[in-house]
Amino acid sequence: MVVGEMPEGVDLLVVGGGPGGYVAAIAAAQLGRNVVLVDADGEDGLGGICVRVGCIPSKALIELASHVHSQSAWHGRGGPAGAGTVDLVKFQDWKRDVVGGLNGGVRGLLKRAGVDVRRGWFRFTRPDQGALVTDPDRPPTHLQFKSCIIATGSRPVELEHLPFDGVRIVSSTETLELSELPKSVAVVGGGYIGLELGTALAKLGSAVTIVEALDTLLPTMDAKIGTLIAEHVKELGVEVLTNAKVTGDTGTHLQVDGSNGPVELDVELVVVAVGRVPNTDDLGLEALDVAPGPDGRLRVGTDLLVTPRVAAIGDIAPGPSLAHKASAEGHVAAAVLSGHSELFDPATIAAVVFSDPEVAQAGLTAVGAEEAGHPAARATFPISASGRARTMGESTGFVEYVYDQSTGVVLGATVVGPHASELIAEAALAIEMAAHLDDLAGTIHAHPTMAEIHHEAALVALGRPLHIPGPKRRGSDGGAA
């Protein structure tokens, strides 16, 4: 310890105010801990990337785009004519109100829980629970903590040959701050972030090209989903280039090496959305004798511990980079560091893509189920057979359940279609509870609703579908009944 260094004692320290960090702080306070939460932006940073420049702003833009786009479709069904010119300046004002309200809500929750929120950059300094917090407006603060939860999140990946300039070549962050709609956009990356942003901008009126290095959109999901989505976005006017890699940018043209040779895209804006990198490279982890893996994440077990007194959650821990996963981990980390026997071992973590149509998955795919040793089968029900979907003017998509043929236990589900983001919750609960197909089939669902698709898919699996053709039932005399 440096002479004159007077460390402040902290019971439980949380680093990062995002959906993992602030939930962990509240959970720890509820368990009787005295909690200090440090975020680089202090109270302004509460809610993290998700609330400020991620989940919430992107869904606000998607809602605006969907509303604008639906005007033309509904005009042909008796609705009013087009919505007129999009005013992104007004949108940004409204979005800031939404974000500010959520940020203020988190601030109030932490205050009521007695959490001390501080601004500053954090680094571990000693193996015996020592840390340093620096802030340009205040003297450095040395902390001595009993327990610590790291929830520092992630940032957009920057391509070496396509560095961000904040004007022409931008990340998702700058895209969500646009105050004027670009005439033409190239989106580099056909994963969920690129697809969501590209679809929204296309619906608002931009000419959009999505460039994906692999052979399908949403390459981490079943190929048939990527194919379906690609066909649908083409109907929106989006050009999709798969098996294509960006090689550079001239300042006016994006250079792409496509499957049919090199091409140059004359676009006004380039959105790079090829993934995110965990924020673990400037935490002073060497002081704990801890190093991130090749992917930048910290290795933890089901107790989420990096060391006996330090836990890691959210995007810097293994698993999907999802806000709801981080929040769930926050509860577990707070309990474990407070002496409770808890584990982070969910049966499923639902993933959602707010594309058009929406895509949501939970549990095992058929391939994953077979690899896990299950005699797996699939049952599919098309969205086009849903009365509620038809009243919404929707017919694209399906629900597919994966189940164990020997037991009928639900193993996984995929929903592609309107409100898939909401509908996946029932499937996730069924998987978490190891529900049987009979449980879904025997649950009376309200009509007409989109949720009926769960009931219908279960009936398909059980061999007695109602609203799609199925096998004829045999009579007792061997004839058709």
Side-chain angles (χ1 to χ4, degrees):
M1 184 181 295
V2 178
V3 176
E5 190 179 289
M6 298 293 292
E8 174 188 348
V10 174
D11 181 23
L12 190 145
L13 177 65
V14 176
V15 185
Y22 84 74
V23 168
I26 293 171
Q30 291 171 342
L31 292 170
R33 305 296 296 270
N34 293 316
V35 183
V36 172
L37 186 153
V38 175
D39 187 274
D41 294 312
E43 290 188 341
D44 290 341
L46 297 177
I49 295 298
C50 180
V51 166
R52 300 169 65 204
V53 295
C55 321
I56 299 302
S58 65
K59 302 315 164 286
L61 182 67
I62 288 167
E63 288 296 329
L64 172 66
S66 295
H67 175 74
V68 170
H69 178 71
S70 69
Q71 296 300 301
S72 59
W74 280 100
H75 179 54
R77 302 167 192 155
T85 304
V86 175
D87 189 337
L88 286 185
V89 173
K90 285 185 178 179
F91 166 75
Q92 293 297 346
D93 289 341
W94 172 72
K95 185 198 75 178
R96 278 189 286 273
D97 286 342
V98 172
V99 170
L102 291 172
N103 170 269
V106 174
R107 190 179 306 184
L109 290 171
L110 290 168
K111 184 176 181 180
R112 284 192 291 275
V115 176
D116 180 3
V117 178
R118 303 182 187 181
R119 187 180 69 178
W121 290 94
F122 172 93
R123 284 183 63 84
F124 292 106
T125 55
R126 297 188 304 275
D128 58 342
Q129 290 80 59
L132 177 68
V133 176
T134 56
D135 182 338
D137 298 331
R138 298 175 181 81
T141 302
H142 297 273
L143 304 177
Q144 185 80 20
F145 58 84
K146 293 181 181 179
S147 308
C148 180
I149 299 174
I150 321 169
T152 47
S154 61
R155 61 187 184 276
V157 170
E158 183 173 26
L159 298 176
E160 184 177 355
H161 56 284
L162 209 61
F164 297 130
D165 61 18
V167 179
R168 171 175 167 79
I169 302 174
V170 300
S171 70
S172 58
T173 300
E174 292 81 18
T175 305
L176 294 170
E177 291 292 331
L178 290 172
S179 57
E180 186 175 340
L181 187 68
K183 293 180 179 179
S184 55
V185 181
V187 178
V188 182
Y192 78 95
I193 297 175
L195 183 58
E196 289 181 357
L197 294 176
T199 302
L201 290 172
K203 285 182 174 182
L204 291 173
S206 296
V208 176
T209 302
I210 298 178
V211 182
E212 169 54 46
L214 299 179
D215 57 5
T216 181
L217 297 180
L218 298 177
T220 62
M221 293 185 168
D222 192 306
K224 69 180 181 182
I225 297 175
T227 300
L228 184 153
I229 295 295
E231 292 174 353
H232 198 66
V233 296
K234 287 176 183 177
E235 294 176 7
L236 300 175
V238 176
E239 182 179 6
V240 177
L241 301 179
T242 54
N243 294 308
K245 295 184 179 180
V246 174
T247 58
D249 185 72
T250 66
T252 58
H253 291 74
L254 185 70
Q255 299 169 318
V256 179
D257 188 4
S259 55
N260 296 321
V263 296
E264 289 195 342
L265 303 177
D266 183 2
V267 291
E268 185 178 325
L269 186 72
V270 179
V271 179
V272 179
V274 294
R276 299 184 66 84
V277 58
N279 292 324
T280 55
D281 46 356
D282 195 27
L283 292 174
L285 292 168
E286 60 277 4
L288 302 180
D289 196 24
V290 169
D295 59 357
R297 299 174 189 266
L298 299 176
R299 298 295 170 253
V300 299
T302 53
D303 59 6
L304 302 175
L305 295 180
V306 177
T307 74
R309 293 182 180 272
V310 178
I313 64 174
D315 292 3
I316 65 171
S321 296
L322 299 170
H324 45 286
K325 176 245 192 190
S327 296
E329 288 176 325
H331 281 281
V332 173
V336 169
L337 288 172
S338 299
H340 297 272
S341 298
E342 294 215 18
L343 301 175
F344 183 72
D345 188 24
T348 183
I349 303 172
V352 175
V353 183
F354 291 84
S355 51
D356 185 357
E358 290 185 352
V359 178
Q361 285 191 319
L364 297 174
T365 62
V367 173
E370 290 170 359
E371 291 176 347
H374 296 281
R378 294 187 273 195
T380 304
F381 183 78
I383 293 298
S384 59
S386 163
R388 181 68 180 102
R390 288 305 186 97
T391 67
M392 299 161 63
E394 302 283 354
S395 60
T396 301
F398 61 89
V399 58
E400 180 176 274
Y401 268 88
V402 176
Y403 60 96
D404 188 305
Q405 290 190 80
S406 62
T407 63
V409 171
V410 175
L411 302 174
T414 299
V415 182
V416 180
H419 304 305
S421 54
E422 308 291 343
L423 294 167
I424 198 64
E426 180 173 340
L429 180 61
I431 296 164
E432 193 69 42
M433 296 182 67
H436 192 281
L437 291 168
D438 285 330
D439 296 319
L440 288 171
T443 300
I444 301 174
H445 290 67
H447 176 79
T449 64
M450 286 301 302
E452 289 175 285
I453 62 174
H454 298 290
H455 173 78
E456 296 278 3
L459 289 175
V460 170
L462 293 169
R464 45 181 208 269
L466 283 178
H467 291 100
I468 61 172
K472 290 185 178 181
R473 184 175 176 180
R474 308 299 295 180
S476 58
D477 60 353

